[in-house]
Amino acid sequence: MAKGTKPPVHGSSTKDKQKQQRANAARKERRHPIRTAFKVLGLGVGGIIVIGVGVGIGYAASMLKGLPTISASTFTNESEASTVYDVNGKVIGRYTTSGDRQPITSVNQVSPYLSNALIAAEDKTFRTNIGINPLAMCRAFVEDVIGHHIQSGASTITQETVKLAVFPEQQRTLKRKIQEIALALELNHMLTKDEILTDYMNWVYMGDMGDTPIYGVKTASQILFHKDPRDLNIPQAALLAGIINNPSYFSPYQYPSRAVDRQHYVLNQMLRNHFITQQQYESAMSYNVLKDIHKPTASSTTQYPFLMLDNITPTVCQDLVKEGLYSTAQQAYDALPTAGYKIYTSIDLNVQNHVDSVLADDQLFGNTDASWSDPQTGQHGVDIYNAGVTIINNQTGGIVAIGGGRDSAADYQKDQIDHSDIARQPGSSIKPLIDYGPAIDLHKETAATYLADIPTTYPGGPAGPWTPTDAEGYYSGLVSVRTALVKSINVPAIRTLDMLTPEVGTSYLAKMGIPVGATTLNGQPTLVQSDTEQLPTAIGGMAHGLTVQQVTSAYTTFANQGTWKQSFLVSKIADRNGNTLYQFHQQVNQVFSPQTAWIMTNILHGVLYQPGGTADAIGARFPGYYISGKTGTTDSQEDGWFVGYTQQYTAGLWMGYNHHQKISNSAYNLKFTLWSDIMQPLLQKEQPTKPWPEPSGIVQAAVCEDSGMLPTNLCKQDNAVYDEYFIQGTQPTQPDNMHVLVEYTIYNGKKYLATTMTPPNEIRTGIFIKPPYTLPPGVTTLDSGTYVPTQPDPRGGIVLKAPANGQSPTTVSPPANVKAVAAPDGTSVQLTWNAVQGASGYMVTRATSGSGPYVTVAGPVTQTSFTDSQLPANASTLYYEVYAVSSAGLSNPSAVVEVVLPNAGGSGGSGGTGPGNGSGPGAGAGSGSTNLPGVGNFTGAANKPDTDTGATGSSGGSAGSVGSGRPKKG
C-alpha cells in the first residue's frame, strides 16, 4: 500500500462506486437522449429479430416436412403418347389422356431462338441465378402472411420445372412455395442449365390445341407451324414462347391479336437482353406470323375413331401381349398414352381420307334411312343405311384403308359399330371361296361343267326339308359353272357344295385366315362349327356370318395366283428410342393352284363385263379394265355385298342396316356406285388395263354349252359351241350326249313325240336337249322348252325314236331299186322297191314338182309295193320318194323316181338306187340348210325366242325338216 493512502473500506466503497457509475450514466443519458432511445430500440429490435429468426426457422422446418425426394430422372419427362403412323410416315393419331406431348432430349433439338425467347420472357436471370429469385420469394412471403394466399408468381424457370414435375396440382400456398424453393436450389446443383431448360420445355403446358391439351414445345410447334421446333424462325419462336405465360389468354386460335401482342413483348425482351439485333427485331416485328398458323386437327379418336379405336388399338394391344410386354390387353392399352411407342401401319391416309369423305356424303346416300321397332321391348328409332369398307394391297397384304361407317365421327358416336368388322351374312360372295373355287381346284368341276338349276329338296335340320330357290324367281335348268357364277344362281352352288361336302368347302376358308372359331377384333364369333356342317353355307346362310375384313382378305387369294398373304394393319411397333418391340411376320398359304385362281378370276371378270353379270354397272363405269369381283345378297335383301379386285388392290364393301331392315330395290344398287366412287382414284392411278398374267397349265377347248363336253354336229348346228378355259388335263374328252335328234309333231300348240300315227306331213325332225334329270310335273325352267318332249302324239301309234347319243341318226338304210310304172289309162301308178333289213314298214311320198313339196300318200305299209290311185288332177309328171320306218325313226329318203302320165305324153318313170336328195315330205322352201346327210332345207318358227325351227310352220314341216328346240339363254 502506498504511503499516506487509506486502505479501502469494503462494502460501502463498492456501493458508492456503483452509484457513481449510475450517476455518470444518468448524466450521459441526460446529455444524449436520442442516442439513448436508439440504443433501447436497437436492443428491442435485436431481440425481436432473434426471436423471429428462431420462429422463422421453425416455421420453415415445418414447411419442409414431407419434402419430396428428387433425382435427375424426376425431371426427365419420358411420358410420351404413343404415335401411330401411316405407310408414308404421316401421323394418323396419338394415344392421349390428360394431354399430348413429345419430349426432346436436348436444347439442341430446338431453335436457339426459342431457348432465348423463353429465357427473355420467363426468367432473364436464368443463366446466372441459383435457381430462385429472392426478391420474388420475399414478395410471396409477405402476400401469404398478409392475405394467406399468394397473388403473384415471378418464379424462375427452375422453380417452374419443379412445380410442373413435382407439384402438378399447382397449389399456390406458402408451404408449396417453400418446398419449391428448396427443390429448385437442389435442382440447380443437380443439373446443368441446359438440362433444366430441356426438362422445362418438355413439361410446360401450351394450352388446348383442337380438342387435346398440349404439353411441351415440340408438339405445340408441330401443331401450330407444322414444323420441328429446331426449324422455327424468330417470330415463330417468340409467339410460341409468349403462349406459356397464359396459354388460354394468349391462344393464337381463340385470341390471335393477344397472341401477337404477347409475341411483340417477347421480341422486345429479346432485344433488351441482347438475344437479337435491332435488325432482327424490326424484321420479326413486321413478320405476319399468323399466316404460318395451321388449324389444329381433330384428335385420333374423333378424326379416325373406327380406325384408331376399333382396329389399330386392339391389334396393337394383342401384339404387345404376344411379345410378352404385358400380361393382358388392358395393361397394354393403359400404357399407350405414356409409353411413347411408335406404331407403324399399312394405312395410306390419302386413301383413308377419301374413303371417309365418300362415306360422309349424305347426298350420295339420299333418303335411305329406315325406321325400326322392337315389338318385344317397345324400342324404336331410325336405322341408318350404313356401309363397311376394307381395301387391301394385294402385293403386301397391308390394309390400305378401313371404312367403319358413314360420317366417321358422328356415326361412331351414334352406335360405335365398326361395320368393317361385324359379322354379317356374306350371301353369294362366299360362292367362289367355298363352292366353285374348291371344286375347280380339286378337279371336281370345270368352268364348263353343267349344273342343274331345278327344284331340289334337301333333308333339313330342325326346320325340316329345305328346297332352295333362286333370287330371280325361276329356275334356269342346265347352266355351266361360269354362267351360274356370273349370274349368281343359287341352286348350282348348293349342288356343288353338296358334292364337295360343307366340311371340304369350308376347309378352304381356314387356309385363308378364317378357321372355325374365328372372331372379330373385339372377340365376336364369325365362322362356327355348325357352318361347316350345313348346305346353306354354300350361299352365305351362316350362324353369324363373316366380316368385310375377312372376306376381303380371302379374295386377295385370287389376285395373288392362289396364294393367301395374311392381311395386316400394324407392321411394326418400336419404343421411343426406335428399338423394335414387335415386327409383323406374314403367314402365307397356297390355297388354290395358280390355274384355279386364274380361271376363277376369268369367270369373275364376267360378273362385271358379261351381259347379265350381276355387277355390270361397275363394268360400265370402268370399261376396258381388268376388274373381277362378286356380289352378295342375303334372303329378304338385308345385306348387300360387292368384293372387287385388280392386280393391285382388293376392295370389299358391305351395305345394310344395323337392325336388319330390308334394303329397298332403289337403295340396293347404291353399293355399285359407292364401290366405284371409293375406288375411282386408285383405279385411275393403277389403270388396270393389262390382262391378268396367264400361268402355264391353262388350255382352251371348244365345248358344247349345255353339257360341257366336246361338240358334236348337232351341238354345232344348235349354235351351242363356245371356247372355254381349263386346267390342263381337265378338258373334256367325250362327245356331247345331250343334244339329240327327235322326230316330233305339234298338236294343238304343244310338242309331242312323233308316232307311226302322226301324219307324215306333220312330222318334224328337231334338235333337242336330253337332260340327265326329269322335271317334276308342272315345273318349267328357262330352257325346258328345248327338252325332248316327254309325251307321244296323243293320236296314238308307236313313237319314232331318235338316237340319244347326239350324233347323226343311225336309222335303217333308205329303200333301194324303187320303180314306178303308170297305168296305161293314167289313173294310177304302181311302185315297188327292195325290202330293207330292220324296217318295220315304209312310207311313200309324192310331189308334182321335182323340188317338192312332198306329201305322204302311204304309210306306214308293210309291203314293198304300193299302188297310188288317188292322183292329183291336171298332173302331167309325178315324183316319188320312199322311206323305211324303224323304231329308230325314218330313214333318209330313197332316190327320187319320176313318172310321166300317159295322157301327158309319157308312160313310166325311171327308178334310182342312190341316196335321196334330201327334199323330205312336205319340205318347205325355208332357209337354213343343215350338214346332215339326207336332210334338206327346213322352215318354221319357234314357239319361243330361240333357234327352234319347224315349230309352227304352215302345212310345210316334214320328216326331213330339222330344227332346234332350244331357247336362247339370257
Side-chain angles (χ1 to χ4, degrees):
M1 177 180 293
K3 190 176 179 178
T5 301
K6 293 182 180 178
V9 177
H10 295 284
S12 59
S13 62
T14 301
K15 290 180 180 179
D16 291 341
K17 186 176 181 179
Q18 291 174 343
K19 289 180 181 179
Q20 184 64 40
Q21 290 174 344
R22 286 196 295 268
N24 292 337
R27 284 194 297 269
K28 292 179 180 180
E29 189 68 26
R30 285 193 296 269
R31 289 196 300 266
H32 303 286
I34 296 176
R35 181 183 301 174
T36 300
F38 272 107
K39 285 183 178 181
V40 172
L41 180 61
L43 290 173
V45 170
I48 292 173
I49 290 175
V50 170
I51 295 172
V53 169
V55 172
I57 292 174
Y59 183 64
S62 68
M63 295 294 100
L64 294 176
K65 186 177 181 180
L67 182 69
T69 302
I70 63 171
S71 65
S73 62
T74 304
F75 302 91
T76 303
N77 187 356
E78 296 182 350
S79 175
E80 177 182 1
S82 297
T83 305
V84 181
Y85 301 92
D86 84 338
V87 70
N88 298 311
K90 295 181 180 178
V91 174
I92 297 175
R94 295 186 179 90
Y95 292 97
T96 60
T97 50
S98 60
D100 190 6
R101 57 163 56 88
Q102 295 181 76
I104 59 173
T105 58
S106 167
V107 291
N108 295 327
Q109 294 179 346
V110 302
S111 166
Y113 300 130
L114 179 58
S115 298
N116 292 334
L118 288 171
I119 294 172
E122 299 298 323
D123 186 3
K124 302 174 184 60
T125 65
F126 171 71
R127 293 291 181 185
T128 58
N129 65 38
I130 60 173
I132 63 173
N133 186 329
L135 291 178
M137 297 304 97
C138 288
R139 182 172 62 250
F141 173 80
V142 172
E143 289 175 350
D144 189 59
V145 169
I146 296 175
H148 302 289
H149 190 78
I150 299 174
Q151 300 295 329
S152 60
S155 297
T156 64
I157 286 177
T158 308
Q159 287 176 266
E160 287 296 312
T161 304
V162 170
K163 180 170 62 177
L164 292 167
V166 183
F167 305 109
E169 66 278 5
Q170 303 289 297
Q171 293 177 340
R172 298 178 68 85
T173 65
L174 186 58
K175 179 176 181 178
R176 194 274 301 160
K177 196 70 176 177
I178 290 175
Q179 291 188 344
E180 176 189 303
I181 293 169
L183 293 179
L185 292 170
E186 185 176 353
L187 179 61
N188 195 64
H189 290 284
M190 183 182 298
L191 301 178
T192 67
K193 290 294 186 179
D194 282 350
E195 289 171 338
I196 295 172
L197 187 59
T198 298
D199 291 339
Y200 173 71
M201 286 191 284
N202 285 335
W203 282 103
V204 68
Y205 174 58
M206 302 299 296
D208 289 357
M209 297 184 181
D211 56 1
T212 305
I214 301 301
Y215 294 87
V217 298
K218 182 175 181 179
T219 302
S221 175
Q222 291 175 338
I223 293 175
L224 282 171
F225 303 113
H226 286 192
K227 275 187 175 183
D228 190 271
R230 74 178 72 204
D231 299 323
L232 296 175
N233 58 31
I234 294 174
Q236 292 168 345
L239 182 80
L240 196 63
I243 295 174
I244 296 172
N245 182 264
N246 192 329
S248 59
Y249 187 83
F250 294 122
S251 168
Y253 297 119
Q254 294 179 292
Y255 308 107
S257 60
R258 294 178 187 175
V260 171
D261 289 343
R262 180 65 181 176
Q263 178 220 28
H264 289 173
Y265 166 78
V266 175
L267 289 171
N268 181 268
Q269 294 301 309
M270 293 177 73
L271 176 65
R272 293 182 60 182
N273 289 276
H274 310 292
F275 288 125
I276 56 176
T277 65
Q278 182 67 35
Q279 183 179 359
Q280 289 175 318
Y281 170 76
E282 293 173 357
S283 176
M285 288 291 288
S286 62
Y287 185 89
N288 181 14
V289 72
L290 293 180
K291 69 178 178 58
D292 295 342
I293 302 294
H294 292 263
K295 291 183 178 180
T297 58
S299 70
S300 60
T301 56
T302 56
Q303 187 173 7
Y304 305 106
F306 294 112
L307 181 62
M308 288 289 292
L309 298 180
D310 289 337
N311 290 277
I312 295 176
T313 298
T315 301
V316 168
C317 292
Q318 291 170 12
D319 293 340
L320 292 173
V321 171
K322 288 178 183 177
E323 293 301 316
L325 298 174
Y326 299 94
S327 299
T328 66
Q330 184 62 47
Q331 290 177 353
Y333 175 78
D334 293 340
L336 292 178
T338 59
Y341 294 137
K342 300 180 186 300
I343 302 165
Y344 300 94
T345 73
S346 56
I347 293 295
D348 185 330
L349 272 185
N350 294 325
V351 181
Q352 181 66 50
N353 289 332
H354 174 69
V355 170
D356 288 343
S357 68
V358 172
L359 293 179
D361 187 354
D362 289 337
Q363 186 174 359
L364 177 64
F365 283 84
N367 186 24
T368 56
D369 292 348
S371 60
W372 69 275
S373 62
D374 187 337
Q376 294 182 347
T377 64
Q379 293 180 319
H380 61 88
V382 176
D383 221 354
I384 297 175
Y385 189 38
N386 228 312
V389 179
T390 301
I391 303 175
I392 297 177
N393 183 313
N394 296 328
Q395 276 66 49
T396 66
I399 297 176
V400 177
I402 290 175
R406 291 171 56 183
D407 192 5
S408 186
D411 189 32
Y412 190 85
Q413 293 301 319
K414 291 177 182 177
D415 58 24
Q416 297 189 8
I417 296 176
D418 178 5
H419 297 92
S420 76
D421 190 44
I422 58 171
R424 295 295 294 238
Q425 302 282 344
S428 295
S429 66
I430 204 173
K431 293 175 182 176
L433 303 175
I434 69 170
D435 302 334
Y436 300 116
I440 292 175
D441 194 59
L442 295 172
H443 297 187
K444 300 289 187 180
E445 291 179 352
T446 70
T449 299
Y450 76 85
L451 298 166
D453 180 30
I454 60 176
T456 308
T457 299
Y458 297 94
W466 178 49
T467 303
T469 59
D470 294 324
E472 296 79 10
Y474 57 81
Y475 294 98
S476 297
L478 285 171
V479 293
S480 66
V481 165
R482 178 180 291 274
T483 299
L485 194 48
V486 166
K487 296 186 177 182
S488 198
I489 306 173
N490 285 338
V491 175
I494 298 167
R495 286 182 175 275
T496 296
L497 191 64
D498 187 35
M499 176 269 298
L500 290 172
T501 74
E503 291 81 3
V504 171
T506 54
S507 69
Y508 275 75
L509 289 178
K511 301 176 186 178
M512 294 179 279
I514 314 174
V516 172
T519 66
T520 65
L521 285 172
N522 65 358
Q524 297 303 307
T526 56
L527 184 69
V528 295
Q529 183 64 36
S530 63
D531 296 328
T532 70
E533 300 169 348
Q534 59 161 14
L535 284 177
T537 304
I539 55 175
M542 306 171 68
H544 303 287
L546 300 175
T547 72
V548 176
Q549 294 185 34
Q550 288 174 327
V551 175
T552 306
S553 176
Y555 265 79
T556 64
T557 307
F558 296 124
N560 286 325
Q561 296 76 53
T563 299
W564 177 71
K565 297 179 180 179
Q566 182 184 4
S567 61
F568 67 94
L569 185 59
V570 176
S571 57
K572 187 175 77 169
I573 303 174
D575 64 17
R576 61 171 51 86
N577 298 317
N579 300 312
T580 299
L581 302 176
Y582 165 81
Q583 181 72 55
F584 173 71
H585 296 289
Q586 192 169 56
Q587 180 183 350
V588 178
N589 295 332
Q590 188 69 44
V591 181
F592 303 107
S593 70
Q595 294 77 21
T596 298
W598 188 88
I599 287 176
M600 288 299 301
T601 294
N602 182 269
I603 295 173
L604 293 176
H605 183 261
V607 173
L608 286 78
Y609 294 96
Q610 185 174 320
T614 55
D616 56 1
I618 295 178
R621 176 94 173 254
F622 302 106
Y625 280 5
Y626 281 88
I627 308 172
S628 296
K630 185 68 188 76
T631 54
T633 308
T634 56
D635 290 345
S636 302
Q637 205 162 287
E638 295 176 0
D639 302 88
W641 292 73
F642 181 72
V643 186
Y645 60 96
T646 65
Q647 296 184 47
Q648 182 69 34
Y649 298 104
T650 298
L653 168 70
W654 167 89
M655 296 192 73
Y657 296 95
N658 289 342
H659 295 88
H660 299 271
Q661 308 293 318
K662 180 179 179 179
I663 304 171
S664 67
N665 291 332
S666 59
Y668 176 76
N669 288 334
L670 179 60
K671 66 184 180 182
F672 301 125
T673 303
L674 199 64
W675 192 94
S676 299
D677 286 354
I678 286 172
M679 290 300 292
Q680 178 86 29
L682 287 176
L683 293 175
Q684 284 183 338
K685 181 179 180 181
E686 181 189 355
Q687 291 290 313
T689 56
K690 293 183 180 179
W692 296 83
E694 182 179 324
S696 60
I698 296 291
V699 296
Q700 193 173 25
V703 296
C704 195
E705 178 179 346
D706 295 282
S707 65
M709 303 173 77
L710 295 176
T712 60
N713 287 335
L714 293 181
C715 183
K716 293 175 183 177
Q717 185 182 345
D718 199 23
N719 296 318
V721 180
Y722 76 101
D723 291 332
E724 185 57 271
Y725 294 101
F726 298 88
I727 299 174
Q728 190 167 17
T730 65
Q731 64 268 34
T733 58
Q734 298 298 314
D736 167 65
N737 60 4
M738 291 190 189
H739 285 77
V740 294
L741 273 179
V742 173
E743 306 297 335
Y744 73 101
T745 188
I746 298 177
Y747 185 71
N748 290 334
K750 184 178 178 180
K751 292 179 183 178
Y752 294 95
L753 293 171
T755 69
T756 54
M757 295 301 293
T758 303
N761 63 316
E762 295 180 14
I763 296 175
R764 295 161 170 78
T765 301
I767 302 173
F768 288 86
I769 303 300
K770 185 179 181 181
Y773 51 78
T774 300
L775 289 175
V779 173
T780 60
T781 64
L782 189 62
D783 64 349
S784 58
T786 69
Y787 294 175
V788 174
T790 58
Q791 295 178 317
D793 188 334
R795 290 170 288 190
I798 301 172
V799 172
L800 305 177
K801 294 183 179 178
N805 61 0
Q807 301 299 317
S808 299
T810 56
T811 59
V812 293
S813 301
N817 197 24
V818 178
K819 295 181 180 180
V821 179
D825 58 1
T827 59
S828 65
V829 175
Q830 178 72 36
L831 290 99
T832 61
W833 56 86
N834 293 341
V836 176
Q837 184 178 1
S840 60
Y842 303 93
M843 290 179 61
V844 180
T845 62
R846 179 188 67 201
T848 57
S849 169
S851 60
Y854 284 82
V855 296
T856 302
V857 293
V861 295
T862 57
Q863 300 84 3
T864 58
S865 63
F866 170 71
T867 299
D868 182 9
S869 58
Q870 302 294 324
L871 303 183
N874 300 321
S876 60
T877 304
L878 298 175
Y879 302 87
Y880 291 92
E881 291 179 338
V882 181
Y883 292 82
V885 179
S886 71
S887 60
L890 296 178
S891 71
N892 289 327
S894 68
V896 176
V897 61
E898 178 182 354
V899 178
V900 178
L901 299 179
N903 60 3
S907 61
S910 60
T913 58
N917 63 7
S919 55
S927 61
S929 62
T930 77
N931 58 1
L932 296 177
V935 179
N937 295 341
F938 58 94
T939 187
N943 62 347
K944 284 195 175 185
D946 53 29
T947 59
D948 179 14
T949 57
T952 58
S954 61
S955 61
S958 78
S961 62
V962 178
S964 167
R966 59 181 290 107
K968 293 182 189 236
K969 295 186 180 180

